[in-house]
Amino acid sequence: MSLMVIGTGFGRTGTDSMREALTMLGFGPCHHMSEVMAHAKQKRLWRALAKGEAPGWDRLFAGYKSCVDWPSAHYWRELIEVYPQARVILTWRSPESWWESFEKTILPAIAGSTDQESLGISLVSNQVFGGRPQDRAHAIAVYRDNVEAVLNTVPAERLLVHKLGDGWAPLCAHLGVPAPDEPYPSRNSTREFRTALSLQ
């Protein structure tokens, strides 16, 4: 199975809602950090990749039709080359609102981790944010840089920027599928987010 959709947005940009939406539209299973949390094999494979092991993308995504959120979003540059037919989605919210959510959810999980090999530390903290996830100005700059890199790299006809609240219409048009009768999913509010990245 080859990836059909690649997400490039950071965690806390509506990725869990997008995961559920893609599954409802027939692009599931969708890879997300929750998959790493749930499966020991996924944890082992992604930890090895974060430590520098050569990627075996087909093995990492075996059984998945799409991917959003970290850890995969960190590797979007490679993935869009490996899977050239896949559509690309940048989940987006304003940098300031992203930081407010990140600071209340993922950042405490990272700070509470004692496992230096966890993806929260080895990937998100050290690789994405250069060891400075708690530095607001730096983290927001990294967020902005990722958005700009996606916009400047992915051809416009292949990319959808999906903002919080956009719902089904732009997503379904981008993927060429009809919109469901059900409401667009709303998942993983700040209150609900208590599954620590420190476990990964």
Side-chain angles (χ1 to χ4, degrees):
M1 183 183 299
S2 181
L3 286 180
M4 302 170 69
V5 182
I6 296 168
T8 63
F10 280 9
R12 307 310 300 172
T13 59
T15 54
D16 197 37
S17 297
M18 180 60 70
R19 174 198 59 77
E20 186 170 334
L22 290 171
T23 300
M24 292 170 68
L25 293 175
F27 295 91
C30 178
H31 194 276
H32 179 276
M33 183 65 84
S34 60
E35 294 295 304
V36 181
M37 293 177 177
H39 303 291
K41 181 179 179 181
Q42 279 286 311
K43 182 186 294 188
R44 176 174 54 80
L45 291 174
W46 283 97
R47 282 187 174 205
L49 177 62
K51 288 195 294 186
E53 184 174 298
W57 298 119
D58 288 342
R59 182 171 61 146
L60 284 163
F61 292 112
Y64 295 97
K65 292 182 180 179
S66 56
C67 63
V68 297
D69 196 62
W70 291 311
S72 61
H74 181 57
Y75 300 97
W76 65 263
R77 292 170 180 82
E78 294 94 325
L79 294 176
I80 64 171
E81 298 294 332
V82 173
Y83 302 104
Q85 302 306 312
R87 307 296 282 174
V88 181
I89 298 173
L90 172 63
T91 46
W92 186 91
R93 66 194 299 174
S94 74
E96 292 74 17
S97 72
W98 167 79
W99 168 258
E100 290 176 6
S101 180
F102 176 81
E103 184 182 32
K104 294 174 182 175
T105 55
I106 295 177
L107 192 56
I110 292 172
S113 177
T114 58
D115 183 355
Q116 295 301 306
E117 292 189 3
S118 71
L119 293 181
I121 293 179
S122 66
L123 182 80
V124 179
S125 178
N126 293 344
Q127 295 185 39
V128 176
F129 295 106
R132 297 163 56 195
Q134 74 289 345
D135 183 331
R136 180 183 185 278
H138 172 73
I140 288 178
V142 172
Y143 175 89
R144 291 182 188 273
D145 287 347
N146 185 71
V147 170
E148 287 302 311
V150 172
L151 295 175
N152 292 331
T153 303
V154 183
E157 64 274 11
R158 191 180 176 190
L159 175 67
L160 170 68
V161 178
H162 196 270
K163 302 175 184 177
L164 291 184
D166 277 356
W168 287 121
L171 177 62
C172 293
H174 183 61
L175 299 177
V177 295
D181 292 332
E182 303 172 58
Y184 186 86
S186 179
R187 302 265 310 166
N188 212 0
S189 71
T190 298
R191 185 183 68 257
E192 294 168 336
F193 187 93
R194 291 294 179 262
T195 307
L197 275 176
S198 59
L199 301 177
Q200 309 322 308

